[in-house]
Amino acid sequence: MRVSYNVRDFGAKGNGIALDHGAIQAAVDRCHADGGGTVVVPAGLYICGTVQLRSNVCLFLEMGATVRAADDPDSFPVAAPTPYGNHPGRIQALLRADQAENVTIAGHGTFDGAKTTPLTVAQSEPIRWRVTMAFFRDCRRVRFLDVTFRDADMWTLHLMRCEDVM
């Protein structure tokens, strides 16, 4: 059993150009299939769509690692519909976990939503595509340790029916 899985070994570039969520997802999936461990994201700029986290996986961002939300709605599958406002919307997330246990997001890196301009309620209501930084539903024993979340387009941490969160 491997204890750590470097996303570069799964094809992540971290060059700020390539879409790296497929490689990061492959590392998470292998880590989970092998019984758990740590997925390491070394220094670099990783452009990503949704990464689905799994039980017994720690996603660890090393210092200098930034995971930035891609500017492509198709990179973010719908996690849940929403009844907000006059126009039903949907939740799309950079990090997502459903019914997972023992999930940790840690390290000294940054998750970047890539949105620096705040919106008023009136401006945001007609927008159908906005990315939540992390959407966790029905999870247990979830840890967020030392990482930075910045420039979220929507909610930063959306924790629905989760237990034992730190």
Side-chain angles (χ1 to χ4, degrees):
M1 174 173 95
R2 290 178 64 182
V3 175
S4 85
Y5 303 77
N6 188 310
V7 298
R8 294 206 181 210
D9 294 339
F10 291 82
K13 303 291 184 215
N15 61 12
I17 299 167
L19 287 176
D20 286 317
H21 55 273
I24 294 172
Q25 188 65 59
V28 167
D29 292 346
R30 173 61 61 84
C31 180
H32 172 72
D34 288 351
T38 301
V39 173
V40 177
V41 181
L45 175 57
Y46 300 83
I47 307 300
C48 290
T50 297
V51 174
Q52 177 81 37
L53 298 169
R54 312 258 186 234
S55 292
N56 304 312
V57 172
C58 171
L59 182 61
F60 186 89
L61 274 61
E62 291 184 343
M63 183 154 311
T66 298
V67 174
R68 180 174 291 157
D71 193 20
D72 175 14
D74 293 334
S75 295
F76 300 92
V78 175
T82 62
Y84 305 121
N86 296 324
H87 309 285
R90 58 190 179 242
I91 295 172
Q92 293 167 282
L94 181 59
L95 302 173
R96 178 178 171 190
D98 287 295
Q99 299 179 342
E101 296 181 355
N102 305 315
V103 177
T104 301
I105 309 297
H108 302 287
T110 300
F111 290 95
D112 182 356
K115 301 296 181 193
T116 57
T117 305
L119 300 174
T120 67
V121 172
Q123 291 170 321
S124 68
E125 188 172 275
I127 297 174
R128 298 283 43 100
W129 178 66
R130 296 180 67 201
V131 176
T132 297
M133 297 293 281
F135 178 65
F136 285 42
R137 175 175 44 201
D138 300 315
C139 295
R140 296 183 335 163
R141 293 182 300 281
V142 176
R143 304 289 180 257
F144 296 94
L145 305 173
D146 299 323
V147 295
T148 297
F149 288 90
R150 74 168 187 223
D151 297 332
D153 191 27
M154 198 164 152
W155 296 342
T156 303
L157 300 179
H158 187 166
L159 307 171
M160 179 184 285
R161 297 184 304 268
C162 292
E163 297 177 8
D164 191 12
V165 176
M166 179 173 77

